[in-house]
Amino acid sequence: MLRDLEWLVALAELGHVTEAAAVIGTSQPTLSRALARLEGDLGVRLFERVPTGLVLTPDGDVVLEAARELVGRHDLLRATLANRLDPETGLVRLAFLDSMATTLVPRLLRAFHEHAPGVKVVLSQEPAHEIRRDLDRGAVELGLTMEHAPEHGWFAVQRERLVVIVPPTHRLGGRRRVDLAELADDELVTTPPGFGHSALVQGLLAEAGVAPRTSFESADLATIEGLVAAGLGFAVVPEAFAGLSGTVGLSLSSPGATRTIGLTWRTDRPLAPPARRLLDLVRSGVWAD
């Protein structure tokens, strides 16, 4: 069908079957059969014969406009795919957690840009469950997250220490280390349920035997740090977020107060060359030097 539409465009532009067949590189009978097949499929007559060749009917004008659009979109799709698959000038689609937007991701992409300056990286900030969904449906090739599906590939990229942050005027602000049990009566600022970070924090609280009331929820850890600085509760965040807006970071006594960030990808199909280049760079570890 697409080939027939391509031939229709050529025939409309040239207005003569013999000339169009020569340009297309096929025989006149083959082109005539393709035209008849298209007219039969659409149920309309597309051309009228005139002494100089062929002219479009009113229905043919409508079909030609749609044919040009479809052929153009197909050509664009082919060009986009060819560009995306080129390891030197292609495209990588990377999803990552919001909490990495100002820390891990900029460092990694700076190294990758130096390594592959012609490759374009399209970024999307998403919660972990959306990263898994987009990997499964092919919307992204790679994801930076704390968790992965068993059927996905996984490479640990970075291990981060978690700390408690409190306002500078908090009663524990002068301490260096704290147990979460000491914050049982304080209000908690954290990520919404369903986020990987929320599950991690709730696990640490359960381990400490406490369930503080949640005062505010935000998907953005930088926002959470700002809310804590404003005196709206305490939070458990990666150490890099402590002190951004004046909060005080306190070490946690729990040995599980860490989070591991990894790169994940589908293993049921080969990665496109540009995505493979990014994965290979991460695995090499040179970007972290």
PDB file of all heavy atoms in Angstrom, residues 121-150:
ATOM      1  N   VAL A 121      20.924  12.825  23.849  1.00  0.00           N
ATOM      2  CA  VAL A 121      20.290  12.106  24.957  1.00  0.00           C
ATOM      3  C   VAL A 121      18.981  12.799  25.311  1.00  0.00           C
ATOM      4  O   VAL A 121      18.971  13.988  25.627  1.00  0.00           O
ATOM      5  CB  VAL A 121      21.207  12.049  26.195  1.00  0.00           C
ATOM      6  CG1 VAL A 121      20.540  11.242  27.314  1.00  0.00           C
ATOM      7  CG2 VAL A 121      22.558  11.434  25.832  1.00  0.00           C
ATOM      8  N   VAL A 122      17.885  12.063  25.217  1.00  0.00           N
ATOM      9  CA  VAL A 122      16.566  12.578  25.595  1.00  0.00           C
ATOM     10  C   VAL A 122      16.267  12.083  27.005  1.00  0.00           C
ATOM     11  O   VAL A 122      16.276  10.878  27.267  1.00  0.00           O
ATOM     12  CB  VAL A 122      15.479  12.094  24.613  1.00  0.00           C
ATOM     13  CG1 VAL A 122      14.104  12.560  25.077  1.00  0.00           C
ATOM     14  CG2 VAL A 122      15.771  12.606  23.214  1.00  0.00           C
ATOM     15  N   LEU A 123      16.001  13.012  27.922  1.00  0.00           N
ATOM     16  CA  LEU A 123      15.846  12.688  29.335  1.00  0.00           C
ATOM     17  C   LEU A 123      14.395  12.770  29.778  1.00  0.00           C
ATOM     18  O   LEU A 123      13.626  13.598  29.281  1.00  0.00           O
ATOM     19  CB  LEU A 123      16.676  13.662  30.182  1.00  0.00           C
ATOM     20  CG  LEU A 123      18.179  13.721  29.878  1.00  0.00           C
ATOM     21  CD1 LEU A 123      18.826  14.845  30.663  1.00  0.00           C
ATOM     22  CD2 LEU A 123      18.838  12.401  30.198  1.00  0.00           C
ATOM     23  N   SER A 124      14.039  11.916  30.738  1.00  0.00           N
ATOM     24  CA  SER A 124      12.724  12.006  31.373  1.00  0.00           C
ATOM     25  C   SER A 124      12.867  11.679  32.850  1.00  0.00           C
ATOM     26  O   SER A 124      13.500  10.686  33.216  1.00  0.00           O
ATOM     27  CB  SER A 124      11.730  11.046  30.702  1.00  0.00           C
ATOM     28  OG  SER A 124      12.219   9.721  30.691  1.00  0.00           O
ATOM     29  N   GLN A 125      12.328  12.567  33.699  1.00  0.00           N
ATOM     30  CA  GLN A 125      12.346  12.364  35.151  1.00  0.00           C
ATOM     31  C   GLN A 125      11.045  11.689  35.549  1.00  0.00           C
ATOM     32  O   GLN A 125       9.965  12.227  35.314  1.00  0.00           O
ATOM     33  CB  GLN A 125      12.496  13.702  35.878  1.00  0.00           C
ATOM     34  CG  GLN A 125      13.828  14.382  35.632  1.00  0.00           C
ATOM     35  CD  GLN A 125      13.913  15.721  36.322  1.00  0.00           C
ATOM     36  OE1 GLN A 125      14.340  16.718  35.741  1.00  0.00           O
ATOM     37  NE2 GLN A 125      13.519  15.765  37.587  1.00  0.00           N
ATOM     38  N   GLU A 126      11.144  10.515  36.190  1.00  0.00           N
ATOM     39  CA  GLU A 126       9.963   9.721  36.487  1.00  0.00           C
ATOM     40  C   GLU A 126      10.145   8.950  37.788  1.00  0.00           C
ATOM     41  O   GLU A 126      11.278   8.653  38.173  1.00  0.00           O
ATOM     42  CB  GLU A 126       9.720   8.700  35.357  1.00  0.00           C
ATOM     43  CG  GLU A 126       9.565   9.292  33.984  1.00  0.00           C
ATOM     44  CD  GLU A 126       9.513   8.218  32.900  1.00  0.00           C
ATOM     45  OE1 GLU A 126       9.792   7.034  33.201  1.00  0.00           O
ATOM     46  OE2 GLU A 126       9.206   8.578  31.763  1.00  0.00           O
ATOM     47  N   PRO A 127       9.056   8.591  38.452  1.00  0.00           N
ATOM     48  CA  PRO A 127       9.152   7.641  39.569  1.00  0.00           C
ATOM     49  C   PRO A 127       9.500   6.259  39.053  1.00  0.00           C
ATOM     50  O   PRO A 127       9.367   5.965  37.861  1.00  0.00           O
ATOM     51  CB  PRO A 127       7.757   7.686  40.201  1.00  0.00           C
ATOM     52  CG  PRO A 127       6.860   8.196  39.123  1.00  0.00           C
ATOM     53  CD  PRO A 127       7.691   9.116  38.273  1.00  0.00           C
ATOM     54  N   ALA A 128       9.942   5.388  39.963  1.00  0.00           N
ATOM     55  CA  ALA A 128      10.462   4.078  39.565  1.00  0.00           C
ATOM     56  C   ALA A 128       9.450   3.253  38.774  1.00  0.00           C
ATOM     57  O   ALA A 128       9.806   2.587  37.796  1.00  0.00           O
ATOM     58  CB  ALA A 128      10.920   3.316  40.803  1.00  0.00           C
ATOM     59  N   HIS A 129       8.159   3.271  39.188  1.00  0.00           N
ATOM     60  CA  HIS A 129       7.187   2.434  38.490  1.00  0.00           C
ATOM     61  C   HIS A 129       6.959   2.905  37.060  1.00  0.00           C
ATOM     62  O   HIS A 129       6.680   2.100  36.171  1.00  0.00           O
ATOM     63  CB  HIS A 129       5.863   2.386  39.266  1.00  0.00           C
ATOM     64  CG  HIS A 129       5.155   3.706  39.363  1.00  0.00           C
ATOM     65  ND1 HIS A 129       5.473   4.648  40.323  1.00  0.00           N
ATOM     66  CD2 HIS A 129       4.142   4.242  38.631  1.00  0.00           C
ATOM     67  CE1 HIS A 129       4.688   5.698  40.174  1.00  0.00           C
ATOM     68  NE2 HIS A 129       3.886   5.484  39.159  1.00  0.00           N
ATOM     69  N   GLU A 130       7.113   4.207  36.806  1.00  0.00           N
ATOM     70  CA  GLU A 130       6.962   4.707  35.448  1.00  0.00           C
ATOM     71  C   GLU A 130       8.192   4.374  34.606  1.00  0.00           C
ATOM     72  O   GLU A 130       8.092   4.142  33.398  1.00  0.00           O
ATOM     73  CB  GLU A 130       6.698   6.215  35.457  1.00  0.00           C
ATOM     74  CG  GLU A 130       5.330   6.582  36.019  1.00  0.00           C
ATOM     75  CD  GLU A 130       5.023   8.063  35.891  1.00  0.00           C
ATOM     76  OE1 GLU A 130       5.799   8.783  35.223  1.00  0.00           O
ATOM     77  OE2 GLU A 130       4.012   8.502  36.470  1.00  0.00           O
ATOM     78  N   ILE A 131       9.364   4.351  35.239  1.00  0.00           N
ATOM     79  CA  ILE A 131      10.574   3.945  34.520  1.00  0.00           C
ATOM     80  C   ILE A 131      10.434   2.502  34.051  1.00  0.00           C
ATOM     81  O   ILE A 131      10.739   2.172  32.904  1.00  0.00           O
ATOM     82  CB  ILE A 131      11.815   4.116  35.406  1.00  0.00           C
ATOM     83  CG1 ILE A 131      12.080   5.603  35.677  1.00  0.00           C
ATOM     84  CG2 ILE A 131      13.048   3.470  34.753  1.00  0.00           C
ATOM     85  CD1 ILE A 131      13.244   5.865  36.608  1.00  0.00           C
ATOM     86  N   ARG A 132       9.955   1.618  34.943  1.00  0.00           N
ATOM     87  CA  ARG A 132       9.750   0.218  34.557  1.00  0.00           C
ATOM     88  C   ARG A 132       8.738   0.108  33.412  1.00  0.00           C
ATOM     89  O   ARG A 132       8.930  -0.646  32.462  1.00  0.00           O
ATOM     90  CB  ARG A 132       9.264  -0.600  35.755  1.00  0.00           C
ATOM     91  CG  ARG A 132      10.313  -0.800  36.830  1.00  0.00           C
ATOM     92  CD  ARG A 132       9.880  -1.888  37.806  1.00  0.00           C
ATOM     93  NE  ARG A 132       8.604  -1.594  38.440  1.00  0.00           N
ATOM     94  CZ  ARG A 132       8.459  -0.887  39.548  1.00  0.00           C
ATOM     95  NH1 ARG A 132       9.530  -0.388  40.166  1.00  0.00           N
ATOM     96  NH2 ARG A 132       7.256  -0.667  40.070  1.00  0.00           N
ATOM     97  N   ARG A 133       7.659   0.889  33.498  1.00  0.00           N
ATOM     98  CA  ARG A 133       6.637   0.861  32.449  1.00  0.00           C
ATOM     99  C   ARG A 133       7.214   1.310  31.115  1.00  0.00           C
ATOM    100  O   ARG A 133       6.976   0.680  30.072  1.00  0.00           O
ATOM    101  CB  ARG A 133       5.473   1.763  32.853  1.00  0.00           C
ATOM    102  CG  ARG A 133       4.342   1.863  31.824  1.00  0.00           C
ATOM    103  CD  ARG A 133       3.563   3.141  32.014  1.00  0.00           C
ATOM    104  NE  ARG A 133       4.409   4.311  31.768  1.00  0.00           N
ATOM    105  CZ  ARG A 133       4.067   5.548  32.102  1.00  0.00           C
ATOM    106  NH1 ARG A 133       2.931   5.784  32.720  1.00  0.00           N
ATOM    107  NH2 ARG A 133       4.888   6.566  31.837  1.00  0.00           N
ATOM    108  N   ASP A 134       7.990   2.398  31.123  1.00  0.00           N
ATOM    109  CA  ASP A 134       8.535   2.919  29.876  1.00  0.00           C
ATOM    110  C   ASP A 134       9.591   1.993  29.285  1.00  0.00           C
ATOM    111  O   ASP A 134       9.735   1.905  28.062  1.00  0.00           O
ATOM    112  CB  ASP A 134       9.104   4.321  30.101  1.00  0.00           C
ATOM    113  CG  ASP A 134       8.008   5.381  30.205  1.00  0.00           C
ATOM    114  OD1 ASP A 134       6.848   5.057  29.864  1.00  0.00           O
ATOM    115  OD2 ASP A 134       8.304   6.511  30.619  1.00  0.00           O
ATOM    116  N   LEU A 135      10.339   1.306  30.144  1.00  0.00           N
ATOM    117  CA  LEU A 135      11.274   0.298  29.634  1.00  0.00           C
ATOM    118  C   LEU A 135      10.512  -0.834  28.958  1.00  0.00           C
ATOM    119  O   LEU A 135      10.868  -1.284  27.864  1.00  0.00           O
ATOM    120  CB  LEU A 135      12.129  -0.249  30.771  1.00  0.00           C
ATOM    121  CG  LEU A 135      13.304   0.601  31.247  1.00  0.00           C
ATOM    122  CD1 LEU A 135      13.888   0.019  32.528  1.00  0.00           C
ATOM    123  CD2 LEU A 135      14.393   0.690  30.178  1.00  0.00           C
ATOM    124  N   ASP A 136       9.445  -1.293  29.599  1.00  0.00           N
ATOM    125  CA  ASP A 136       8.682  -2.427  29.069  1.00  0.00           C
ATOM    126  C   ASP A 136       8.025  -2.111  27.734  1.00  0.00           C
ATOM    127  O   ASP A 136       7.907  -2.983  26.865  1.00  0.00           O
ATOM    128  CB  ASP A 136       7.621  -2.877  30.076  1.00  0.00           C
ATOM    129  CG  ASP A 136       8.218  -3.591  31.279  1.00  0.00           C
ATOM    130  OD1 ASP A 136       9.351  -4.101  31.156  1.00  0.00           O
ATOM    131  OD2 ASP A 136       7.560  -3.635  32.335  1.00  0.00           O
ATOM    132  N   ARG A 137       7.587  -0.883  27.559  1.00  0.00           N
ATOM    133  CA  ARG A 137       6.905  -0.540  26.305  1.00  0.00           C
ATOM    134  C   ARG A 137       7.845   0.051  25.262  1.00  0.00           C
ATOM    135  O   ARG A 137       7.415   0.407  24.168  1.00  0.00           O
ATOM    136  CB  ARG A 137       5.760   0.428  26.582  1.00  0.00           C
ATOM    137  CG  ARG A 137       6.173   1.813  27.008  1.00  0.00           C
ATOM    138  CD  ARG A 137       4.957   2.703  27.212  1.00  0.00           C
ATOM    139  NE  ARG A 137       5.343   4.084  27.486  1.00  0.00           N
ATOM    140  CZ  ARG A 137       4.491   5.090  27.550  1.00  0.00           C
ATOM    141  NH1 ARG A 137       3.198   4.863  27.371  1.00  0.00           N
ATOM    142  NH2 ARG A 137       4.908   6.314  27.797  1.00  0.00           N
ATOM    143  N   GLY A 138       9.145   0.149  25.605  1.00  0.00           N
ATOM    144  CA  GLY A 138      10.127   0.632  24.649  1.00  0.00           C
ATOM    145  C   GLY A 138      10.203   2.131  24.517  1.00  0.00           C
ATOM    146  O   GLY A 138      10.810   2.642  23.572  1.00  0.00           O
ATOM    147  N   ALA A 139       9.605   2.881  25.450  1.00  0.00           N
ATOM    148  CA  ALA A 139       9.648   4.343  25.385  1.00  0.00           C
ATOM    149  C   ALA A 139      11.020   4.885  25.769  1.00  0.00           C
ATOM    150  O   ALA A 139      11.380   6.003  25.391  1.00  0.00           O
ATOM    151  CB  ALA A 139       8.576   4.949  26.291  1.00  0.00           C
ATOM    152  N   VAL A 140      11.790   4.138  26.550  1.00  0.00           N
ATOM    153  CA  VAL A 140      13.167   4.489  26.885  1.00  0.00           C
ATOM    154  C   VAL A 140      14.019   3.228  26.767  1.00  0.00           C
ATOM    155  O   VAL A 140      13.517   2.106  26.861  1.00  0.00           O
ATOM    156  CB  VAL A 140      13.306   5.076  28.312  1.00  0.00           C
ATOM    157  CG1 VAL A 140      12.493   6.353  28.455  1.00  0.00           C
ATOM    158  CG2 VAL A 140      12.889   4.059  29.372  1.00  0.00           C
ATOM    159  N   GLU A 141      15.322   3.414  26.558  1.00  0.00           N
ATOM    160  CA  GLU A 141      16.233   2.270  26.485  1.00  0.00           C
ATOM    161  C   GLU A 141      16.893   1.978  27.826  1.00  0.00           C
ATOM    162  O   GLU A 141      17.188   0.823  28.141  1.00  0.00           O
ATOM    163  CB  GLU A 141      17.343   2.512  25.455  1.00  0.00           C
ATOM    164  CG  GLU A 141      16.893   2.502  24.018  1.00  0.00           C
ATOM    165  CD  GLU A 141      16.518   3.888  23.524  1.00  0.00           C
ATOM    166  OE1 GLU A 141      16.874   4.884  24.182  1.00  0.00           O
ATOM    167  OE2 GLU A 141      15.854   3.975  22.489  1.00  0.00           O
ATOM    168  N   LEU A 142      17.128   3.032  28.610  1.00  0.00           N
ATOM    169  CA  LEU A 142      17.875   2.893  29.857  1.00  0.00           C
ATOM    170  C   LEU A 142      17.156   3.635  30.977  1.00  0.00           C
ATOM    171  O   LEU A 142      16.501   4.662  30.743  1.00  0.00           O
ATOM    172  CB  LEU A 142      19.292   3.461  29.704  1.00  0.00           C
ATOM    173  CG  LEU A 142      20.192   2.791  28.657  1.00  0.00           C
ATOM    174  CD1 LEU A 142      21.440   3.630  28.428  1.00  0.00           C
ATOM    175  CD2 LEU A 142      20.574   1.386  29.086  1.00  0.00           C
ATOM    176  N   GLY A 143      17.296   3.137  32.203  1.00  0.00           N
ATOM    177  CA  GLY A 143      16.716   3.796  33.364  1.00  0.00           C
ATOM    178  C   GLY A 143      17.687   3.805  34.523  1.00  0.00           C
ATOM    179  O   GLY A 143      18.381   2.811  34.770  1.00  0.00           O
ATOM    180  N   LEU A 144      17.753   4.916  35.210  1.00  0.00           N
ATOM    181  CA  LEU A 144      18.542   5.028  36.441  1.00  0.00           C
ATOM    182  C   LEU A 144      17.568   5.000  37.612  1.00  0.00           C
ATOM    183  O   LEU A 144      16.751   5.913  37.768  1.00  0.00           O
ATOM    184  CB  LEU A 144      19.343   6.332  36.459  1.00  0.00           C
ATOM    185  CG  LEU A 144      20.670   6.339  35.705  1.00  0.00           C
ATOM    186  CD1 LEU A 144      21.201   7.760  35.573  1.00  0.00           C
ATOM    187  CD2 LEU A 144      21.704   5.460  36.409  1.00  0.00           C
ATOM    188  N   THR A 145      17.629   3.975  38.417  1.00  0.00           N
ATOM    189  CA  THR A 145      16.654   3.804  39.477  1.00  0.00           C
ATOM    190  C   THR A 145      17.243   2.988  40.617  1.00  0.00           C
ATOM    191  O   THR A 145      18.368   2.497  40.527  1.00  0.00           O
ATOM    192  CB  THR A 145      15.381   3.143  38.915  1.00  0.00           C
ATOM    193  OG1 THR A 145      14.403   3.026  39.923  1.00  0.00           O
ATOM    194  CG2 THR A 145      15.682   1.780  38.326  1.00  0.00           C
ATOM    195  N   MET A 146      16.463   2.832  41.689  1.00  0.00           N
ATOM    196  CA  MET A 146      16.918   2.046  42.834  1.00  0.00           C
ATOM    197  C   MET A 146      16.486   0.598  42.747  1.00  0.00           C
ATOM    198  O   MET A 146      16.915  -0.224  43.541  1.00  0.00           O
ATOM    199  CB  MET A 146      16.379   2.650  44.144  1.00  0.00           C
ATOM    200  CG  MET A 146      16.928   4.009  44.482  1.00  0.00           C
ATOM    201  SD  MET A 146      16.378   4.531  46.129  1.00  0.00           S
ATOM    202  CE  MET A 146      14.609   4.612  45.889  1.00  0.00           C
ATOM    203  N   GLU A 147      15.617   0.283  41.821  1.00  0.00           N
ATOM    204  CA  GLU A 147      15.076  -1.066  41.737  1.00  0.00           C
ATOM    205  C   GLU A 147      14.876  -1.446  40.285  1.00  0.00           C
ATOM    206  O   GLU A 147      14.831  -0.593  39.400  1.00  0.00           O
ATOM    207  CB  GLU A 147      13.741  -1.152  42.484  1.00  0.00           C
ATOM    208  CG  GLU A 147      12.753  -0.096  42.044  1.00  0.00           C
ATOM    209  CD  GLU A 147      11.554   0.016  42.963  1.00  0.00           C
ATOM    210  OE1 GLU A 147      11.738   0.413  44.124  1.00  0.00           O
ATOM    211  OE2 GLU A 147      10.453  -0.305  42.506  1.00  0.00           O
ATOM    212  N   HIS A 148      14.772  -2.742  40.030  1.00  0.00           N
ATOM    213  CA  HIS A 148      14.591  -3.197  38.663  1.00  0.00           C
ATOM    214  C   HIS A 148      13.814  -4.501  38.655  1.00  0.00           C
ATOM    215  O   HIS A 148      13.792  -5.233  39.645  1.00  0.00           O
ATOM    216  CB  HIS A 148      15.942  -3.381  37.970  1.00  0.00           C
ATOM    217  CG  HIS A 148      16.745  -4.518  38.519  1.00  0.00           C
ATOM    218  ND1 HIS A 148      17.337  -4.481  39.772  1.00  0.00           N
ATOM    219  CD2 HIS A 148      17.051  -5.735  37.999  1.00  0.00           C
ATOM    220  CE1 HIS A 148      17.971  -5.619  39.979  1.00  0.00           C
ATOM    221  NE2 HIS A 148      17.821  -6.404  38.930  1.00  0.00           N
ATOM    222  N   ALA A 149      13.176  -4.775  37.532  1.00  0.00           N
ATOM    223  CA  ALA A 149      12.463  -6.033  37.374  1.00  0.00           C
ATOM    224  C   ALA A 149      13.467  -7.165  37.205  1.00  0.00           C
ATOM    225  O   ALA A 149      14.543  -6.964  36.630  1.00  0.00           O
ATOM    226  CB  ALA A 149      11.534  -5.953  36.167  1.00  0.00           C
ATOM    227  N   PRO A 150      13.133  -8.367  37.681  1.00  0.00           N
ATOM    228  CA  PRO A 150      14.070  -9.495  37.576  1.00  0.00           C
ATOM    229  C   PRO A 150      14.506  -9.791  36.149  1.00  0.00           C
ATOM    230  O   PRO A 150      15.623 -10.259  35.924  1.00  0.00           O
ATOM    231  CB  PRO A 150      13.276 -10.663  38.177  1.00  0.00           C
ATOM    232  CG  PRO A 150      12.251 -10.025  39.053  1.00  0.00           C
ATOM    233  CD  PRO A 150      11.906  -8.732  38.396  1.00  0.00           C
TER     234      PRO A 150
END
